[in-house]
Amino acid sequence: MATHYGYDSGLGFPGTVRRHRVPAGLRAPFEGRTWREFGYVLLSLPISIVMFTYAVTMISLGAGLLVTFLGIPVFAAGLAGCRGLGALERARARGLLGLEVGDPEPLRMRKSGFMAWMGAVLKSGTSWRTLLYSVLHLPWATFSFVVAVNFWVYGWALLTYPLWFWVFPAYVGQDGLQLYGNQTHHIYLDNPFEIGVTALVGLLFTLATPWIVRALTTVDRVMVHGLLGPTRLTARVVELESDRGVVVDTAAADLRRIERDLHDGAQARLVALAMDLGLAKEKLTEDPAAAARMVDEAHGEVKTALQELRDLARGIHPAVLTDRGLDAALSAVASRCTVPVQVEVDLPARPAPAIEGIAYFTVSELLQNISKHSRATFAAVDVWRVENRLMLQVVDNGVGGADVSSGSGLAGLAERLDAVDGILVVDSPVGGPTRVTAELPWRGERV
């Protein structure tokens, strides 16, 4: 087995990539994944029998009792039990198939009490999907069990036939494994050639079995994910709730930054300016020259405070972005970068102000990173539109090594983009160059 050292793109730190000298087809019968999938198929039959029996019994009993009030509680209890069995199936799929499937939407009850719980169970789509899974999984589990066990048993039995064929003449009273026979004619696998061919057929069966089992469990994956996992709508709601939290946290952090900048910068200068002017007013009659110097110093402080306020306003939302759009605003940002930056913006129209602002701040922060960390001598910014996506790309020839997963500013930038269904992709090998690509949804400017 050869080992190649490289960088794992998913984790962002050095890892090992194993390269096997044995082909995957020959390794498959002995891999842990194959045995776990085969174990999943073996367990599916007894578990599906229990689930099918429980579901059919409870639903039939509930339907029979609908003429009385007891039918509805029995229905609810049956569906609740199916939900519990569905949780067991999700756990089994995670453990044996490595299927990462989220929990479905929980019960939503506006009130507390048994009646509210019963209504929530009956109205929940998850309850009925788990019931459908309980009914449909039995025939599929039976088919998978029969196919997998037959291929597995016959494959290994025929492959090892040269080791145990002696059992037939020693204990059974025949020359070997009977291939065909009637009252007058019999064919036994007893000579070396036939034994070798039998082992070869067994080898083919053994090598094919893992892939057959894998194909069978693929259907199980689809059923578990589709019927026992969260729906697309539920997943989207969870994603939007998470994105809303990110947006709120980002807005709060921006407000704290603005407050801190005002308190530590312009506000402190204005307080000092008021004190200096007060002292100058007192000295105006006693020492006009000193008062003039103090007024001149105060005039310089006013200019500095005004510049800080302009910079702060530019950090909130630059006027050039509102007036002239991304091309002019990004050119202004590039002019303040410590390395030469080539800017190219090719947009048929202006995007919505919110998207335009996020694009501006994304490029601005990436150029700040280039100035502080990259040690680059050149950078380029490209902005264009592809169908309904706004594309941004910032490239530099620096030392590389940028990583989103390290908790740096790139991670916060990725979260901000994700909050509006955007994507941030960083390609920054050690030694460079660094290429950061961002995608944002295109929303046209409202007229």
Side-chain angles (χ1 to χ4, degrees):
M1 180 189 301
T3 303
H4 170 71
Y5 291 88
Y7 283 85
D8 180 32
S9 60
L11 298 176
F13 52 81
T16 58
V17 180
R18 298 183 181 275
R19 294 179 178 176
H20 295 273
R21 295 176 180 175
V22 181
L26 298 179
R27 295 196 318 267
F30 307 99
E31 288 182 334
R33 174 182 175 179
T34 300
W35 290 94
R36 288 192 298 271
E37 290 175 341
F38 185 62
Y40 183 90
V41 172
L42 293 181
L43 290 175
S44 289
L45 182 60
I47 292 177
S48 64
I49 291 175
V50 173
M51 294 181 66
F52 181 88
T53 303
Y54 173 82
V56 172
T57 300
M58 294 299 291
I59 298 305
S60 300
L61 182 61
L65 293 175
L66 279 179
V67 293
T68 67
F69 177 75
L70 294 176
I72 296 178
V74 171
F75 255 128
L79 293 175
C82 288
R83 291 174 68 99
L85 293 173
L88 172 65
E89 283 293 273
R90 288 193 298 273
R92 190 166 68 95
R94 291 191 194 102
L96 296 179
L97 299 183
L99 178 64
E100 292 299 328
V101 54
D103 294 331
E105 181 183 10
L107 294 178
R108 297 184 179 273
M109 296 185 294
R110 297 181 179 179
K111 300 179 180 179
S112 59
F114 177 74
M115 296 299 293
W117 172 84
M118 188 170 58
V121 170
L122 292 173
K123 290 187 294 184
S124 173
T126 302
S127 303
W128 296 99
R129 289 198 308 273
T130 53
L131 173 63
L132 182 61
Y133 177 88
S134 301
V135 175
L136 294 180
H137 194 246
L138 177 59
W140 174 251
T142 304
F143 174 79
S144 300
F145 182 90
V146 172
V147 172
V149 169
N150 276 279
F151 269 89
W152 200 279
V153 171
Y154 279 106
W156 284 102
L158 295 177
L159 177 62
T160 58
Y161 182 63
L163 303 177
W164 57 272
F165 81 97
W166 57 269
V167 172
F168 290 95
Y171 297 102
V172 182
Q174 62 185 40
D175 296 334
L177 185 66
Q178 183 175 343
L179 183 62
Y180 171 79
N182 54 30
Q183 296 179 352
T184 60
H185 187 64
H186 300 277
I187 298 177
Y188 297 103
L189 303 174
D190 54 356
N191 61 60
F193 175 75
E194 293 173 347
I195 293 173
V197 171
T198 302
L200 180 60
V201 173
L203 177 62
L204 296 177
F205 271 66
T206 302
L207 295 179
T209 299
W211 307 102
I212 294 173
V213 173
R214 195 158 298 174
L216 295 172
T217 54
T218 299
V219 178
D220 286 285
R221 287 184 173 92
V222 173
M223 293 180 67
V224 171
H225 191 275
L227 295 177
L228 301 182
T231 62
R232 290 185 179 181
L233 179 59
T234 301
R236 182 61 175 163
V237 169
V238 173
E239 181 182 357
L240 290 176
E241 289 178 348
S242 175
D243 291 345
R244 181 181 61 184
V246 172
V247 171
V248 171
D249 293 341
T250 302
D254 289 340
L255 287 175
R256 289 193 298 269
R257 176 182 60 82
I258 294 170
E259 180 182 6
R260 183 180 64 252
D261 292 343
L262 284 173
H263 182 271
D264 298 340
Q267 180 179 348
R269 291 188 181 278
L270 291 175
V271 170
L273 174 63
M275 296 176 62
D276 291 342
L277 289 177
L279 293 175
K281 181 179 179 181
E282 294 177 357
K283 291 181 176 292
L284 187 60
T285 56
E286 300 176 359
D287 191 354
R293 287 195 304 271
M294 296 181 68
V295 170
D296 185 62
E297 292 176 357
H299 184 257
E301 288 292 324
V302 169
K303 291 182 177 179
T304 303
L306 288 175
Q307 183 61 42
E308 289 182 353
L309 289 174
R310 290 193 190 99
D311 293 339
L312 182 60
R314 186 183 296 113
I316 298 173
H317 194 86
V320 65
L321 178 63
T322 303
D323 298 337
R324 300 174 58 190
L326 270 177
D327 196 354
L330 295 183
S331 298
V333 173
S335 66
R336 298 194 297 270
C337 188
T338 58
V339 301
V341 181
Q342 177 182 347
V343 178
E344 184 173 348
V345 179
D346 183 14
L347 296 177
R350 293 184 64 172
I355 299 300
E356 194 174 54
I358 293 175
Y360 170 82
F361 289 115
T362 299
V363 175
S364 177
E365 185 163 344
L366 291 175
L367 291 181
Q368 288 181 16
N369 288 342
I370 291 175
S371 299
K372 296 177 182 178
H373 310 297
S374 71
R375 288 182 279 175
T377 59
F378 175 77
V381 177
D382 291 321
V383 183
W384 71 99
R385 177 184 176 183
V386 177
E387 296 180 354
N388 62 340
R389 305 292 285 182
L390 175 64
M391 308 294 296
L392 313 171
Q393 191 172 84
V394 179
V395 182
D396 69 78
N397 63 348
V399 297
D403 184 12
V404 178
S405 62
S406 62
S408 62
L410 289 175
L413 195 59
E415 290 181 353
R416 178 173 292 192
L417 292 177
D418 185 64
V420 292
D421 291 337
I423 301 173
L424 185 73
V425 179
V426 179
D427 180 17
S428 181
V430 175
T434 297
R435 184 183 303 273
V436 181
T437 305
E439 291 187 24
L440 287 166
W442 177 272
R443 296 200 265 285
E445 184 180 17
R446 294 182 180 178
V447 180

